Amino acid sequence: MVAEPFDYQFDPETTALVLIDFQRDFVEPNGFGEALGNDVSLVRTSIEPATRVLAAARAAGMMVIHTREGHRADLTDCPPAKLTRGGTTFIGTEGTMGRILVRGEKGHDIIPELYPIDGEPIIDKPGKGAFYATDLELILRERGIRSLIMMGVTTEVCVQTTAREANDRGFEVVVLEDCVASYFPEFHKAALDMIKAQGAIVGWVSNSDAAIAAIS
């Protein structure tokens, strides 16, 4: 696969495509992202290229995994440091798509454009990283997965956190720059620069066209 800081070779049989938090609360109007004052049109740019990569991965029979950030209805897994931001509480309060970031609510679910199909695991995570307090690593080890191709939102938070967690666990990581996005373009660029710095210190950065060509 054409990538930075140098091309990356992978075996589709030992590679998983990971879609991180493509949830209504983050990428649709009137969700949590917008409630925080963000412009969701900036993150929605990742959806179209992600749908093309997802289709290619499915056609190739690659493992596909989806993640969702959210909490128990009683919020016992949501620490105070996360529950309240800047003196305002959002998580668990009523929004236009149900209680914000609560599992089972409409806003917590994955957008229709990238919705999982049968056989694609969904990882429900209480934190920003997909490995924290989940069985993601167990699932990957059981399938013999060694490489992860990542897409999702936001680049500098849940994507970068998951990429660093994966790297620490010995997985090789490729982040597709047009299939990840942020509410802050400068954060998006900085996060990708950090991932590929120093000879791929965390992982590689590529794009949808290169990934599709390599998968196909």
Side-chain angles (χ1 to χ4, degrees):
M1 180 192 303
V2 176
E4 295 180 301
F6 52 90
D7 291 354
Y8 179 71
Q9 302 296 320
F10 68 97
D11 180 354
E13 292 190 3
T14 58
T15 302
L17 180 67
V18 183
L19 289 81
I20 299 172
D21 300 0
F22 278 113
Q23 296 164 249
R24 291 179 182 271
D25 260 333
F26 294 137
V27 304
E28 290 188 350
N30 302 314
F32 182 40
E34 195 167 86
L36 291 172
N38 298 307
D39 179 0
V40 296
S41 69
L42 295 171
V43 293
R44 291 188 63 81
T45 59
S46 63
I47 296 174
E48 189 277 330
T51 60
R52 293 189 287 108
V53 176
L54 177 59
R58 285 171 172 168
M62 280 178 53
M63 185 176 198
V64 175
I65 296 177
H66 305 258
T67 77
R68 296 183 295 205
E69 181 182 351
H71 297 278
R72 295 165 50 98
D74 60 10
L75 301 183
T76 53
D77 61 348
C78 185
K82 181 179 182 182
L83 186 65
T84 300
R85 299 187 187 181
T88 302
T89 298
F90 292 95
I91 297 174
T93 61
E94 285 295 336
T96 59
M97 294 182 283
R99 295 177 66 201
I100 293 174
L101 284 190
V102 169
R103 295 174 184 174
E105 301 286 345
K106 180 179 178 181
H108 172 258
D109 210 0
I110 295 167
I111 60 174
E113 296 95 323
L114 296 165
Y115 207 79
I117 60 175
D118 288 345
E120 295 178 351
I122 301 173
I123 305 296
D124 281 317
K125 60 189 184 71
K128 297 171 178 64
F131 288 88
Y132 170 68
T134 76
D135 54 3
L136 175 58
E137 184 172 3
L138 175 62
I139 292 171
L140 295 174
R141 301 292 186 200
E142 287 296 314
R143 285 287 298 269
I145 298 298
R146 296 196 295 267
S147 305
L148 305 177
I149 298 175
M150 293 187 182
M151 313 191 296
V153 297
T154 60
T155 314
E156 78 280 7
V157 183
C158 295
V159 174
Q160 182 175 209
T161 302
T162 301
R164 290 179 180 275
E165 289 180 327
N167 176 264
D168 280 346
R169 287 164 173 78
F171 296 99
E172 294 187 335
V173 176
V174 182
V175 177
L176 304 184
E177 62 183 354
D178 55 338
C179 298
V180 296
S182 171
Y183 304 117
F184 307 95
E186 65 273 24
F187 294 173
H188 171 81
K189 181 182 184 303
L192 294 176
D193 286 345
M194 285 187 279
I195 287 168
K196 67 185 179 182
Q198 300 181 71
I201 191 169
V202 175
W204 288 258
V205 173
S206 188
N207 57 65
S208 58
D209 289 339
I212 291 167
I215 292 169
S216 301

